[in-house]
Amino acid sequence: FSTSARQVRGPSGERLGAALAYQEITELMRAIQVQDEFVSSVSHELRTPLTSVLGHLEMLADEEHPPGVEAQLRVVQRNASRLAALVTDLLLVAQVGEHGLRLQARSVDLSAVVRECVLAARPDADKAQVDLAVLLPDRLVTVVDEQRIRQVLDNLVSNAVKYSPEGGSATITLRDLGETVELSVTDTGIGIAPDDVERVFTRFFRGGHALDQHIPGTGLGLNIVSSIVAAHGGTVSLDSEVGVGSTFRVTLPHRPAAGD
Ligand code: ADP
C-alpha cells in the first residue's frame, strides 16, 4: 500500500481534520516487475542469434563479392548493428528496473571523453549537415563510469543531430562548477512541446514531432540518460522551445580523482 495524508480546512482556514488515502500499489509494482523480466529475457534471447548474424557478416565482409551484393551486405550489416544496439539498450533498461545500475567508477578526463564522442558523431552530423561545436576545458578529471557517461553523451549528441534540420548546429559544453561538473548539449532543432518536456525521459516515449516526421528511434535513449545520471547522483534538466531548439543539461557531482 502507499499512503498519503493532508489537512482539511474550512472556508476561513480553520482545521476540520485530516484526510488519509490508501492506495493499492502492489499490483502496479508487480506489473512493472513482469515487464522488466519480459524485456530482459527477450533481449537475452535476441542477443545470441544476433551475435551469430554479426559474426557471419563480418566473415562475409572479408570476401570478394560482385558490386551489387556488396551494397546489399552493407545494408544488412547496418540494420543488424542497429538491432544489436537496440538489444543492448533494452538489456540496460531491464537491468535498471530489476536491480539498479551497477557503476564501474574511476578517474576519467571528461574533456577527452567529450572530444572522442564528438569525433565519433561527426560523420552522422556531416551527413545531416549539422554543425558540431565544443566548448571544453583542456582537462577535467573526475570519478565516473566512463562507458556509461559515453552513452549519455552519445544519446544527447545523436539526438541533437537527429532532431535538427539541415544547416542546424549543436554545441556541447563542459564546465567545472567546483562541487559539480556540468555537461550541456544545445541544439537549434525542432524543439519539444511544453507538454512533452516531462515525458521525454519516460521509457519508450516518442514525441509527436519524431513520429510525424518518421525520425527513427526507440524512445529509450533519454530514459537511459536519466538512469545513468541518477546512478551517479546527478541531475538532468531540459529547456526547450518548439522551432527554436533544446538544451539538455547534465550535472554530476565533481568527485576528486581516485588516489588524490
Ligand atoms: P528516440 O530519439 O529514440 O525517440 P529518446 O528517448 O532519445 O528516444 O527521446 C525521446 C523523445 O524526445 C524523442 O522521440 C523526441 O520526440 C524527443 N527529443 C529528444 N531529444 C530531442 C532533441 N534534441 N530535440 C527535439 N526533440 C527531442
Side-chain angles (χ1 to χ4, degrees), residues 155-156 159-164 187 189-192 196 199-202 204-211 215-223 240 245-246 248:
N155 276 311
L156 294 180
N159 277 353
V161 170
K162 205 162 70 166
Y163 296 108
S164 289
D187 65 55
I190 57 178
I192 296 167
D196 288 347
R199 298 196 288 165
V200 291
F201 295 100
T202 37
F204 300 120
F205 175 81
R206 304 214 65 220
H209 267 105
L211 296 170
I215 301 171
T218 57
L220 288 174
L222 289 179
N223 182 254
S240 190
S246 312
F248 287 86

PDB file of all heavy atoms in Angstrom, residues 155-156 159-164 187 189-192 196 199-202 204-211 215-223 240 245-246 248, ligand 1:
ATOM      1  N   ASN A 155      23.923   9.551 -26.675  1.00  0.00           N
ATOM      2  CA  ASN A 155      22.478   9.730 -26.829  1.00  0.00           C
ATOM      3  C   ASN A 155      22.126  11.197 -27.024  1.00  0.00           C
ATOM      4  O   ASN A 155      21.334  11.540 -27.910  1.00  0.00           O
ATOM      5  CB  ASN A 155      21.738   9.192 -25.596  1.00  0.00           C
ATOM      6  CG  ASN A 155      21.501   7.697 -25.702  1.00  0.00           C
ATOM      7  OD1 ASN A 155      21.020   7.205 -26.719  1.00  0.00           O
ATOM      8  ND2 ASN A 155      21.864   6.973 -24.669  1.00  0.00           N
ATOM      9  N   LEU A 156      22.712  12.079 -26.195  1.00  0.00           N
ATOM     10  CA  LEU A 156      22.349  13.505 -26.293  1.00  0.00           C
ATOM     11  C   LEU A 156      22.825  14.114 -27.606  1.00  0.00           C
ATOM     12  O   LEU A 156      22.102  14.870 -28.253  1.00  0.00           O
ATOM     13  CB  LEU A 156      22.912  14.285 -25.098  1.00  0.00           C
ATOM     14  CG  LEU A 156      22.323  13.926 -23.729  1.00  0.00           C
ATOM     15  CD1 LEU A 156      22.960  14.774 -22.631  1.00  0.00           C
ATOM     16  CD2 LEU A 156      20.805  14.109 -23.713  1.00  0.00           C
ATOM     17  N   ASN A 159      20.826  12.704 -30.580  1.00  0.00           N
ATOM     18  CA  ASN A 159      19.501  13.336 -30.634  1.00  0.00           C
ATOM     19  C   ASN A 159      19.602  14.752 -31.198  1.00  0.00           C
ATOM     20  O   ASN A 159      18.772  15.160 -32.021  1.00  0.00           O
ATOM     21  CB  ASN A 159      18.882  13.416 -29.237  1.00  0.00           C
ATOM     22  CG  ASN A 159      18.192  12.130 -28.831  1.00  0.00           C
ATOM     23  OD1 ASN A 159      18.050  11.211 -29.639  1.00  0.00           O
ATOM     24  ND2 ASN A 159      17.780  12.044 -27.586  1.00  0.00           N
ATOM     25  N   ALA A 160      20.623  15.502 -30.751  1.00  0.00           N
ATOM     26  CA  ALA A 160      20.781  16.884 -31.229  1.00  0.00           C
ATOM     27  C   ALA A 160      20.904  16.892 -32.751  1.00  0.00           C
ATOM     28  O   ALA A 160      20.343  17.754 -33.433  1.00  0.00           O
ATOM     29  CB  ALA A 160      21.999  17.526 -30.579  1.00  0.00           C
ATOM     30  N   VAL A 161      21.626  15.895 -33.291  1.00  0.00           N
ATOM     31  CA  VAL A 161      21.810  15.813 -34.745  1.00  0.00           C
ATOM     32  C   VAL A 161      20.507  15.371 -35.417  1.00  0.00           C
ATOM     33  O   VAL A 161      20.038  15.962 -36.383  1.00  0.00           O
ATOM     34  CB  VAL A 161      22.963  14.839 -35.087  1.00  0.00           C
ATOM     35  CG1 VAL A 161      23.017  14.548 -36.579  1.00  0.00           C
ATOM     36  CG2 VAL A 161      24.295  15.395 -34.583  1.00  0.00           C
ATOM     37  N   LYS A 162      19.924  14.322 -34.833  1.00  0.00           N
ATOM     38  CA  LYS A 162      18.730  13.697 -35.418  1.00  0.00           C
ATOM     39  C   LYS A 162      17.536  14.654 -35.473  1.00  0.00           C
ATOM     40  O   LYS A 162      16.754  14.634 -36.407  1.00  0.00           O
ATOM     41  CB  LYS A 162      18.377  12.507 -34.530  1.00  0.00           C
ATOM     42  CG  LYS A 162      17.618  11.412 -35.168  1.00  0.00           C
ATOM     43  CD  LYS A 162      17.714  10.130 -34.339  1.00  0.00           C
ATOM     44  CE  LYS A 162      16.970  10.182 -33.041  1.00  0.00           C
ATOM     45  NZ  LYS A 162      16.795   8.863 -32.407  1.00  0.00           N
ATOM     46  N   TYR A 163      17.404  15.492 -34.419  1.00  0.00           N
ATOM     47  CA  TYR A 163      16.233  16.359 -34.346  1.00  0.00           C
ATOM     48  C   TYR A 163      16.526  17.790 -34.801  1.00  0.00           C
ATOM     49  O   TYR A 163      15.807  18.720 -34.448  1.00  0.00           O
ATOM     50  CB  TYR A 163      15.640  16.334 -32.932  1.00  0.00           C
ATOM     51  CG  TYR A 163      15.136  14.953 -32.567  1.00  0.00           C
ATOM     52  CD1 TYR A 163      15.787  14.150 -31.650  1.00  0.00           C
ATOM     53  CD2 TYR A 163      14.000  14.437 -33.202  1.00  0.00           C
ATOM     54  CE1 TYR A 163      15.339  12.871 -31.351  1.00  0.00           C
ATOM     55  CE2 TYR A 163      13.541  13.162 -32.911  1.00  0.00           C
ATOM     56  CZ  TYR A 163      14.216  12.385 -31.987  1.00  0.00           C
ATOM     57  OH  TYR A 163      13.753  11.120 -31.718  1.00  0.00           O
ATOM     58  N   SER A 164      17.627  17.967 -35.564  1.00  0.00           N
ATOM     59  CA  SER A 164      17.926  19.292 -36.121  1.00  0.00           C
ATOM     60  C   SER A 164      17.790  19.253 -37.627  1.00  0.00           C
ATOM     61  O   SER A 164      18.257  18.298 -38.260  1.00  0.00           O
ATOM     62  CB  SER A 164      19.366  19.711 -35.787  1.00  0.00           C
ATOM     63  OG  SER A 164      19.489  20.001 -34.425  1.00  0.00           O
ATOM     64  N   ASP A 187      20.937  22.471 -29.005  1.00  0.00           N
ATOM     65  CA  ASP A 187      20.772  22.367 -30.465  1.00  0.00           C
ATOM     66  C   ASP A 187      19.805  23.419 -30.974  1.00  0.00           C
ATOM     67  O   ASP A 187      19.081  24.042 -30.199  1.00  0.00           O
ATOM     68  CB  ASP A 187      20.318  20.956 -30.865  1.00  0.00           C
ATOM     69  CG  ASP A 187      18.946  20.596 -30.336  1.00  0.00           C
ATOM     70  OD1 ASP A 187      17.987  21.336 -30.601  1.00  0.00           O
ATOM     71  OD2 ASP A 187      18.832  19.561 -29.634  1.00  0.00           O
ATOM     72  N   GLY A 189      17.383  22.688 -33.034  1.00  0.00           N
ATOM     73  CA  GLY A 189      16.500  21.728 -33.699  1.00  0.00           C
ATOM     74  C   GLY A 189      15.029  22.041 -33.583  1.00  0.00           C
ATOM     75  O   GLY A 189      14.636  23.181 -33.309  1.00  0.00           O
ATOM     76  N   ILE A 190      14.216  20.997 -33.732  1.00  0.00           N
ATOM     77  CA  ILE A 190      12.763  21.186 -33.826  1.00  0.00           C
ATOM     78  C   ILE A 190      12.136  21.543 -32.480  1.00  0.00           C
ATOM     79  O   ILE A 190      11.021  22.023 -32.430  1.00  0.00           O
ATOM     80  CB  ILE A 190      12.068  19.923 -34.410  1.00  0.00           C
ATOM     81  CG1 ILE A 190      12.385  18.676 -33.571  1.00  0.00           C
ATOM     82  CG2 ILE A 190      12.476  19.708 -35.851  1.00  0.00           C
ATOM     83  CD1 ILE A 190      11.693  17.407 -34.075  1.00  0.00           C
ATOM     84  N   GLY A 191      12.853  21.303 -31.371  1.00  0.00           N
ATOM     85  CA  GLY A 191      12.326  21.636 -30.047  1.00  0.00           C
ATOM     86  C   GLY A 191      11.302  20.629 -29.553  1.00  0.00           C
ATOM     87  O   GLY A 191      10.914  19.702 -30.281  1.00  0.00           O
ATOM     88  N   ILE A 192      10.878  20.811 -28.305  1.00  0.00           N
ATOM     89  CA  ILE A 192       9.972  19.856 -27.658  1.00  0.00           C
ATOM     90  C   ILE A 192       8.797  20.636 -27.065  1.00  0.00           C
ATOM     91  O   ILE A 192       8.991  21.644 -26.368  1.00  0.00           O
ATOM     92  CB  ILE A 192      10.731  19.080 -26.549  1.00  0.00           C
ATOM     93  CG1 ILE A 192      11.845  18.241 -27.192  1.00  0.00           C
ATOM     94  CG2 ILE A 192       9.796  18.197 -25.741  1.00  0.00           C
ATOM     95  CD1 ILE A 192      12.851  17.681 -26.223  1.00  0.00           C
ATOM     96  N   ASP A 196       5.362  17.789 -23.489  1.00  0.00           N
ATOM     97  CA  ASP A 196       6.209  16.595 -23.645  1.00  0.00           C
ATOM     98  C   ASP A 196       7.498  16.662 -22.823  1.00  0.00           C
ATOM     99  O   ASP A 196       8.168  15.643 -22.652  1.00  0.00           O
ATOM    100  CB  ASP A 196       6.595  16.388 -25.127  1.00  0.00           C
ATOM    101  CG  ASP A 196       5.416  15.917 -25.951  1.00  0.00           C
ATOM    102  OD1 ASP A 196       4.401  15.529 -25.342  1.00  0.00           O
ATOM    103  OD2 ASP A 196       5.514  15.933 -27.189  1.00  0.00           O
ATOM    104  N   ARG A 199       7.768  14.209 -20.185  1.00  0.00           N
ATOM    105  CA  ARG A 199       7.568  12.818 -20.614  1.00  0.00           C
ATOM    106  C   ARG A 199       8.721  12.241 -21.420  1.00  0.00           C
ATOM    107  O   ARG A 199       8.828  11.025 -21.563  1.00  0.00           O
ATOM    108  CB  ARG A 199       6.284  12.725 -21.451  1.00  0.00           C
ATOM    109  CG  ARG A 199       5.054  13.124 -20.637  1.00  0.00           C
ATOM    110  CD  ARG A 199       3.807  12.671 -21.290  1.00  0.00           C
ATOM    111  NE  ARG A 199       3.495  13.436 -22.485  1.00  0.00           N
ATOM    112  CZ  ARG A 199       2.612  13.057 -23.390  1.00  0.00           C
ATOM    113  NH1 ARG A 199       1.987  11.903 -23.257  1.00  0.00           N
ATOM    114  NH2 ARG A 199       2.368  13.804 -24.436  1.00  0.00           N
ATOM    115  N   VAL A 200       9.605  13.117 -21.966  1.00  0.00           N
ATOM    116  CA  VAL A 200      10.647  12.593 -22.853  1.00  0.00           C
ATOM    117  C   VAL A 200      11.598  11.627 -22.139  1.00  0.00           C
ATOM    118  O   VAL A 200      12.267  10.835 -22.784  1.00  0.00           O
ATOM    119  CB  VAL A 200      11.481  13.706 -23.546  1.00  0.00           C
ATOM    120  CG1 VAL A 200      10.653  14.456 -24.555  1.00  0.00           C
ATOM    121  CG2 VAL A 200      12.141  14.624 -22.552  1.00  0.00           C
ATOM    122  N   PHE A 201      11.636  11.706 -20.802  1.00  0.00           N
ATOM    123  CA  PHE A 201      12.552  10.825 -20.070  1.00  0.00           C
ATOM    124  C   PHE A 201      11.910   9.476 -19.728  1.00  0.00           C
ATOM    125  O   PHE A 201      12.562   8.618 -19.145  1.00  0.00           O
ATOM    126  CB  PHE A 201      13.045  11.512 -18.789  1.00  0.00           C
ATOM    127  CG  PHE A 201      13.878  12.732 -19.074  1.00  0.00           C
ATOM    128  CD1 PHE A 201      13.345  14.005 -19.002  1.00  0.00           C
ATOM    129  CD2 PHE A 201      15.204  12.596 -19.465  1.00  0.00           C
ATOM    130  CE1 PHE A 201      14.116  15.127 -19.293  1.00  0.00           C
ATOM    131  CE2 PHE A 201      15.984  13.698 -19.759  1.00  0.00           C
ATOM    132  CZ  PHE A 201      15.432  14.967 -19.670  1.00  0.00           C
ATOM    133  N   THR A 202      10.633   9.302 -20.065  1.00  0.00           N
ATOM    134  CA  THR A 202       9.998   8.014 -19.744  1.00  0.00           C
ATOM    135  C   THR A 202      10.297   6.984 -20.831  1.00  0.00           C
ATOM    136  O   THR A 202      10.449   7.324 -22.010  1.00  0.00           O
ATOM    137  CB  THR A 202       8.462   8.134 -19.580  1.00  0.00           C
ATOM    138  OG1 THR A 202       7.994   9.069 -20.526  1.00  0.00           O
ATOM    139  CG2 THR A 202       8.069   8.545 -18.208  1.00  0.00           C
ATOM    140  N   PHE A 204      10.251   4.394 -23.622  1.00  0.00           N
ATOM    141  CA  PHE A 204       9.512   4.205 -24.877  1.00  0.00           C
ATOM    142  C   PHE A 204       8.741   5.432 -25.353  1.00  0.00           C
ATOM    143  O   PHE A 204       8.028   5.368 -26.342  1.00  0.00           O
ATOM    144  CB  PHE A 204       8.556   3.005 -24.812  1.00  0.00           C
ATOM    145  CG  PHE A 204       9.248   1.694 -24.552  1.00  0.00           C
ATOM    146  CD1 PHE A 204       8.948   0.936 -23.426  1.00  0.00           C
ATOM    147  CD2 PHE A 204      10.214   1.227 -25.426  1.00  0.00           C
ATOM    148  CE1 PHE A 204       9.604  -0.258 -23.177  1.00  0.00           C
ATOM    149  CE2 PHE A 204      10.871   0.025 -25.190  1.00  0.00           C
ATOM    150  CZ  PHE A 204      10.566  -0.722 -24.068  1.00  0.00           C
ATOM    151  N   PHE A 205       8.877   6.587 -24.634  1.00  0.00           N
ATOM    152  CA  PHE A 205       8.145   7.770 -25.108  1.00  0.00           C
ATOM    153  C   PHE A 205       8.805   8.348 -26.358  1.00  0.00           C
ATOM    154  O   PHE A 205      10.017   8.530 -26.402  1.00  0.00           O
ATOM    155  CB  PHE A 205       8.087   8.864 -24.027  1.00  0.00           C
ATOM    156  CG  PHE A 205       7.439  10.115 -24.542  1.00  0.00           C
ATOM    157  CD1 PHE A 205       6.058  10.213 -24.597  1.00  0.00           C
ATOM    158  CD2 PHE A 205       8.207  11.161 -25.058  1.00  0.00           C
ATOM    159  CE1 PHE A 205       5.439  11.351 -25.131  1.00  0.00           C
ATOM    160  CE2 PHE A 205       7.605  12.298 -25.593  1.00  0.00           C
ATOM    161  CZ  PHE A 205       6.218  12.386 -25.623  1.00  0.00           C
ATOM    162  N   ARG A 206       7.988   8.626 -27.373  1.00  0.00           N
ATOM    163  CA  ARG A 206       8.474   9.311 -28.573  1.00  0.00           C
ATOM    164  C   ARG A 206       7.572  10.511 -28.840  1.00  0.00           C
ATOM    165  O   ARG A 206       6.350  10.400 -28.792  1.00  0.00           O
ATOM    166  CB  ARG A 206       8.452   8.380 -29.797  1.00  0.00           C
ATOM    167  CG  ARG A 206       9.246   7.096 -29.591  1.00  0.00           C
ATOM    168  CD  ARG A 206       9.908   6.627 -30.865  1.00  0.00           C
ATOM    169  NE  ARG A 206      10.913   7.563 -31.315  1.00  0.00           N
ATOM    170  CZ  ARG A 206      11.111   7.883 -32.583  1.00  0.00           C
ATOM    171  NH1 ARG A 206      10.369   7.340 -33.517  1.00  0.00           N
ATOM    172  NH2 ARG A 206      12.046   8.754 -32.922  1.00  0.00           N
ATOM    173  N   GLY A 207       8.175  11.650 -29.113  1.00  0.00           N
ATOM    174  CA  GLY A 207       7.404  12.875 -29.318  1.00  0.00           C
ATOM    175  C   GLY A 207       6.604  12.836 -30.617  1.00  0.00           C
ATOM    176  O   GLY A 207       6.948  12.107 -31.551  1.00  0.00           O
ATOM    177  N   GLY A 208       5.540  13.649 -30.651  1.00  0.00           N
ATOM    178  CA  GLY A 208       4.701  13.734 -31.849  1.00  0.00           C
ATOM    179  C   GLY A 208       5.514  14.115 -33.078  1.00  0.00           C
ATOM    180  O   GLY A 208       5.332  13.537 -34.166  1.00  0.00           O
ATOM    181  N   HIS A 209       6.440  15.074 -32.889  1.00  0.00           N
ATOM    182  CA  HIS A 209       7.292  15.516 -33.992  1.00  0.00           C
ATOM    183  C   HIS A 209       8.091  14.363 -34.581  1.00  0.00           C
ATOM    184  O   HIS A 209       8.214  14.215 -35.792  1.00  0.00           O
ATOM    185  CB  HIS A 209       8.330  16.532 -33.463  1.00  0.00           C
ATOM    186  CG  HIS A 209       7.887  17.935 -33.578  1.00  0.00           C
ATOM    187  ND1 HIS A 209       7.463  18.678 -32.514  1.00  0.00           N
ATOM    188  CD2 HIS A 209       7.833  18.735 -34.649  1.00  0.00           C
ATOM    189  CE1 HIS A 209       7.146  19.876 -32.926  1.00  0.00           C
ATOM    190  NE2 HIS A 209       7.364  19.946 -34.215  1.00  0.00           N
ATOM    191  N   ALA A 210       8.655  13.559 -33.660  1.00  0.00           N
ATOM    192  CA  ALA A 210       9.510  12.446 -34.083  1.00  0.00           C
ATOM    193  C   ALA A 210       8.687  11.450 -34.900  1.00  0.00           C
ATOM    194  O   ALA A 210       9.142  10.944 -35.935  1.00  0.00           O
ATOM    195  CB  ALA A 210      10.111  11.758 -32.864  1.00  0.00           C
ATOM    196  N   LEU A 211       7.455  11.199 -34.445  1.00  0.00           N
ATOM    197  CA  LEU A 211       6.608  10.227 -35.141  1.00  0.00           C
ATOM    198  C   LEU A 211       6.110  10.795 -36.470  1.00  0.00           C
ATOM    199  O   LEU A 211       6.186  10.138 -37.507  1.00  0.00           O
ATOM    200  CB  LEU A 211       5.428   9.826 -34.245  1.00  0.00           C
ATOM    201  CG  LEU A 211       5.826   9.096 -32.956  1.00  0.00           C
ATOM    202  CD1 LEU A 211       4.641   8.954 -32.013  1.00  0.00           C
ATOM    203  CD2 LEU A 211       6.406   7.715 -33.280  1.00  0.00           C
ATOM    204  N   ILE A 215      11.166  10.186 -37.889  1.00  0.00           N
ATOM    205  CA  ILE A 215      12.570  10.177 -37.458  1.00  0.00           C
ATOM    206  C   ILE A 215      12.786   8.877 -36.683  1.00  0.00           C
ATOM    207  O   ILE A 215      12.045   8.600 -35.738  1.00  0.00           O
ATOM    208  CB  ILE A 215      12.888  11.413 -36.581  1.00  0.00           C
ATOM    209  CG1 ILE A 215      12.617  12.697 -37.377  1.00  0.00           C
ATOM    210  CG2 ILE A 215      14.332  11.372 -36.075  1.00  0.00           C
ATOM    211  CD1 ILE A 215      12.687  13.983 -36.589  1.00  0.00           C
ATOM    212  N   PRO A 216      13.749   8.037 -37.101  1.00  0.00           N
ATOM    213  CA  PRO A 216      13.860   6.730 -36.453  1.00  0.00           C
ATOM    214  C   PRO A 216      14.300   6.826 -34.986  1.00  0.00           C
ATOM    215  O   PRO A 216      15.030   7.742 -34.615  1.00  0.00           O
ATOM    216  CB  PRO A 216      14.941   6.002 -37.282  1.00  0.00           C
ATOM    217  CG  PRO A 216      15.667   7.067 -38.002  1.00  0.00           C
ATOM    218  CD  PRO A 216      14.758   8.247 -38.137  1.00  0.00           C
ATOM    219  N   GLY A 217      13.819   5.909 -34.176  1.00  0.00           N
ATOM    220  CA  GLY A 217      14.195   5.911 -32.762  1.00  0.00           C
ATOM    221  C   GLY A 217      13.370   4.896 -31.998  1.00  0.00           C
ATOM    222  O   GLY A 217      12.444   4.283 -32.542  1.00  0.00           O
ATOM    223  N   THR A 218      13.722   4.720 -30.727  1.00  0.00           N
ATOM    224  CA  THR A 218      13.042   3.703 -29.911  1.00  0.00           C
ATOM    225  C   THR A 218      12.389   4.294 -28.662  1.00  0.00           C
ATOM    226  O   THR A 218      11.633   3.616 -27.972  1.00  0.00           O
ATOM    227  CB  THR A 218      14.073   2.666 -29.418  1.00  0.00           C
ATOM    228  OG1 THR A 218      15.090   3.363 -28.683  1.00  0.00           O
ATOM    229  CG2 THR A 218      14.702   1.918 -30.564  1.00  0.00           C
ATOM    230  N   GLY A 219      12.728   5.535 -28.335  1.00  0.00           N
ATOM    231  CA  GLY A 219      12.196   6.126 -27.108  1.00  0.00           C
ATOM    232  C   GLY A 219      12.913   5.616 -25.862  1.00  0.00           C
ATOM    233  O   GLY A 219      12.401   5.745 -24.744  1.00  0.00           O
ATOM    234  N   LEU A 220      14.103   5.051 -26.028  1.00  0.00           N
ATOM    235  CA  LEU A 220      14.845   4.536 -24.866  1.00  0.00           C
ATOM    236  C   LEU A 220      16.000   5.447 -24.455  1.00  0.00           C
ATOM    237  O   LEU A 220      16.431   5.437 -23.306  1.00  0.00           O
ATOM    238  CB  LEU A 220      15.416   3.144 -25.178  1.00  0.00           C
ATOM    239  CG  LEU A 220      14.401   2.008 -25.257  1.00  0.00           C
ATOM    240  CD1 LEU A 220      15.078   0.726 -25.720  1.00  0.00           C
ATOM    241  CD2 LEU A 220      13.750   1.782 -23.901  1.00  0.00           C
ATOM    242  N   GLY A 221      16.515   6.238 -25.415  1.00  0.00           N
ATOM    243  CA  GLY A 221      17.753   6.985 -25.187  1.00  0.00           C
ATOM    244  C   GLY A 221      17.725   7.886 -23.953  1.00  0.00           C
ATOM    245  O   GLY A 221      18.604   7.806 -23.087  1.00  0.00           O
ATOM    246  N   LEU A 222      16.699   8.741 -23.845  1.00  0.00           N
ATOM    247  CA  LEU A 222      16.683   9.692 -22.724  1.00  0.00           C
ATOM    248  C   LEU A 222      16.364   9.004 -21.403  1.00  0.00           C
ATOM    249  O   LEU A 222      16.786   9.455 -20.337  1.00  0.00           O
ATOM    250  CB  LEU A 222      15.679  10.815 -23.001  1.00  0.00           C
ATOM    251  CG  LEU A 222      16.105  11.792 -24.094  1.00  0.00           C
ATOM    252  CD1 LEU A 222      15.031  12.855 -24.319  1.00  0.00           C
ATOM    253  CD2 LEU A 222      17.434  12.470 -23.748  1.00  0.00           C
ATOM    254  N   ASN A 223      15.625   7.894 -21.466  1.00  0.00           N
ATOM    255  CA  ASN A 223      15.383   7.120 -20.246  1.00  0.00           C
ATOM    256  C   ASN A 223      16.709   6.557 -19.721  1.00  0.00           C
ATOM    257  O   ASN A 223      16.991   6.589 -18.516  1.00  0.00           O
ATOM    258  CB  ASN A 223      14.380   5.997 -20.550  1.00  0.00           C
ATOM    259  CG  ASN A 223      14.046   5.183 -19.319  1.00  0.00           C
ATOM    260  OD1 ASN A 223      14.494   4.065 -19.178  1.00  0.00           O
ATOM    261  ND2 ASN A 223      13.303   5.777 -18.409  1.00  0.00           N
ATOM    262  N   SER A 240      13.461  23.871 -23.564  1.00  0.00           N
ATOM    263  CA  SER A 240      13.221  23.717 -24.998  1.00  0.00           C
ATOM    264  C   SER A 240      12.129  24.644 -25.480  1.00  0.00           C
ATOM    265  O   SER A 240      11.221  24.994 -24.728  1.00  0.00           O
ATOM    266  CB  SER A 240      12.831  22.260 -25.282  1.00  0.00           C
ATOM    267  OG  SER A 240      12.812  22.049 -26.663  1.00  0.00           O
ATOM    268  N   GLY A 245      14.804  25.268 -30.477  1.00  0.00           N
ATOM    269  CA  GLY A 245      15.855  24.315 -30.102  1.00  0.00           C
ATOM    270  C   GLY A 245      15.750  23.867 -28.661  1.00  0.00           C
ATOM    271  O   GLY A 245      14.826  24.270 -27.939  1.00  0.00           O
ATOM    272  N   SER A 246      16.691  23.034 -28.259  1.00  0.00           N
ATOM    273  CA  SER A 246      16.648  22.432 -26.918  1.00  0.00           C
ATOM    274  C   SER A 246      18.030  22.469 -26.278  1.00  0.00           C
ATOM    275  O   SER A 246      19.046  22.400 -26.961  1.00  0.00           O
ATOM    276  CB  SER A 246      16.232  20.958 -27.007  1.00  0.00           C
ATOM    277  OG  SER A 246      15.107  20.791 -27.828  1.00  0.00           O
ATOM    278  N   PHE A 248      19.845  20.233 -23.188  1.00  0.00           N
ATOM    279  CA  PHE A 248      19.849  19.213 -22.144  1.00  0.00           C
ATOM    280  C   PHE A 248      21.058  19.503 -21.270  1.00  0.00           C
ATOM    281  O   PHE A 248      22.175  19.648 -21.785  1.00  0.00           O
ATOM    282  CB  PHE A 248      19.970  17.810 -22.745  1.00  0.00           C
ATOM    283  CG  PHE A 248      18.693  17.355 -23.415  1.00  0.00           C
ATOM    284  CD1 PHE A 248      18.434  17.689 -24.732  1.00  0.00           C
ATOM    285  CD2 PHE A 248      17.753  16.620 -22.713  1.00  0.00           C
ATOM    286  CE1 PHE A 248      17.262  17.293 -25.347  1.00  0.00           C
ATOM    287  CE2 PHE A 248      16.581  16.216 -23.317  1.00  0.00           C
ATOM    288  CZ  PHE A 248      16.322  16.547 -24.638  1.00  0.00           C
TER     289      PHE A 248
HETATM  290  P1  ADP B   1      14.236   8.462 -29.543  1.00  0.00           P
HETATM  291  O1  ADP B   1      15.121   9.565 -30.018  1.00  0.00           O
HETATM  292  O2  ADP B   1      14.734   7.112 -29.883  1.00  0.00           O
HETATM  293  O3  ADP B   1      12.811   8.667 -29.931  1.00  0.00           O
HETATM  294  P2  ADP B   1      14.778   9.431 -26.849  1.00  0.00           P
HETATM  295  O4  ADP B   1      14.443   8.787 -25.537  1.00  0.00           O
HETATM  296  O5  ADP B   1      16.193   9.751 -27.093  1.00  0.00           O
HETATM  297  O6  ADP B   1      14.212   8.446 -27.939  1.00  0.00           O
HETATM  298  O7  ADP B   1      13.925  10.741 -26.978  1.00  0.00           O
HETATM  299  C1  ADP B   1      12.535  10.718 -26.656  1.00  0.00           C
HETATM  300  C2  ADP B   1      11.805  11.792 -27.455  1.00  0.00           C
HETATM  301  O8  ADP B   1      12.244  13.083 -27.030  1.00  0.00           O
HETATM  302  C3  ADP B   1      12.076  11.758 -28.943  1.00  0.00           C
HETATM  303  O9  ADP B   1      11.210  10.851 -29.603  1.00  0.00           O
HETATM  304  C4  ADP B   1      11.827  13.205 -29.358  1.00  0.00           C
HETATM  305  O10 ADP B   1      10.443  13.424 -29.510  1.00  0.00           O
HETATM  306  C5  ADP B   1      12.270  13.989 -28.127  1.00  0.00           C
HETATM  307  N1  ADP B   1      13.653  14.516 -28.241  1.00  0.00           N
HETATM  308  C6  ADP B   1      14.774  14.006 -27.680  1.00  0.00           C
HETATM  309  N2  ADP B   1      15.847  14.778 -27.937  1.00  0.00           N
HETATM  310  C7  ADP B   1      15.398  15.810 -28.672  1.00  0.00           C
HETATM  311  C8  ADP B   1      16.014  16.976 -29.246  1.00  0.00           C
HETATM  312  N3  ADP B   1      17.323  17.221 -29.091  1.00  0.00           N
HETATM  313  N4  ADP B   1      15.216  17.827 -29.952  1.00  0.00           N
HETATM  314  C9  ADP B   1      13.902  17.591 -30.097  1.00  0.00           C
HETATM  315  N5  ADP B   1      13.258  16.519 -29.582  1.00  0.00           N
HETATM  316  C10 ADP B   1      13.987  15.639 -28.883  1.00  0.00           C
END
